[in-house]
Amino acid sequence: MRIDKYLWCVRYYKTRSIATTACKKGQVKVNGDVVKPSREVYAQDVIELRKDQINYKLTVNDIPVSRVGAKLVDIYRTDITPKEQFEARELLKYSKDYYRKKGTGRPTKKDRRDIDDFTDETSN
């Protein structure tokens, strides 16, 4: 089965064209090699894909005939993504909460003190 069709069948991408685009951008690797969307995938292949700033890693158990339901996905793949990937995503979410948008003006006194404290900690 083609890699773009497989990723669509096991519900990593909503449409097959999105999966194809991800392959063309180089976000999908099979056994460590960047692949084209037409690359055939077989059982026991290791797929690495980058989606939503998370590097997913999965092993192919079996090839589905067509798109499968969400409850049946685990039959066809084994997710071996490290937990650190999901923790990094949570940290990124918290950092975006405090981010000041461009054009909001000068930093307040509190912002300036926080920046100074941060730079002092990193220099030590």
Side-chain angles (χ1 to χ4, degrees):
M1 177 180 281
R2 292 170 52 112
I3 184 68
D4 60 343
K5 187 173 181 181
Y6 177 81
L7 292 173
W8 170 74
C9 285
V10 293
R11 298 181 170 269
Y12 272 92
Y13 292 102
K14 189 173 182 178
T15 65
R16 190 167 164 191
S17 63
I18 295 172
T20 303
T21 305
C23 291
K24 287 180 181 176
K25 288 182 179 179
Q27 297 173 347
V28 179
K29 295 180 182 180
V30 176
N31 297 329
D33 298 327
V34 177
V35 295
K36 294 181 179 180
S38 61
R39 164 74 152 69
E40 292 290 321
V41 67
Y42 303 102
Q44 302 306 315
D45 281 348
V46 177
I47 300 173
E48 299 174 37
L49 63 110
R50 182 164 177 83
K51 181 181 170 197
D52 299 330
Q53 297 183 346
I54 297 177
N55 295 323
Y56 291 97
K57 196 169 187 180
L58 55 125
T59 305
V60 178
N61 293 341
D62 197 11
I63 306 296
V65 177
S66 63
R67 190 168 168 105
V68 296
K71 293 181 181 179
L72 303 175
V73 168
D74 290 333
I75 296 171
Y76 299 103
R77 60 108 175 126
T78 304
D79 193 1
I80 53 175
T81 306
K83 299 292 181 205
E84 295 84 34
Q85 294 293 327
F86 297 107
E87 293 169 0
R89 172 92 168 140
E90 290 297 321
L91 290 174
L92 184 65
K93 194 184 304 182
Y94 289 126
S95 69
K96 285 184 178 180
D97 289 341
Y98 185 71
Y99 180 71
R100 291 176 52 92
K101 297 191 182 212
K102 186 174 181 178
T104 56
R106 294 173 49 187
T108 62
K109 286 184 179 180
K110 183 179 181 332
D111 291 338
R112 174 58 60 198
R113 280 186 246 120
D114 291 340
I115 292 169
D116 290 340
D117 290 342
F118 179 74
T119 55
D120 289 341
E121 289 175 9
T122 56
S123 64
N124 291 338

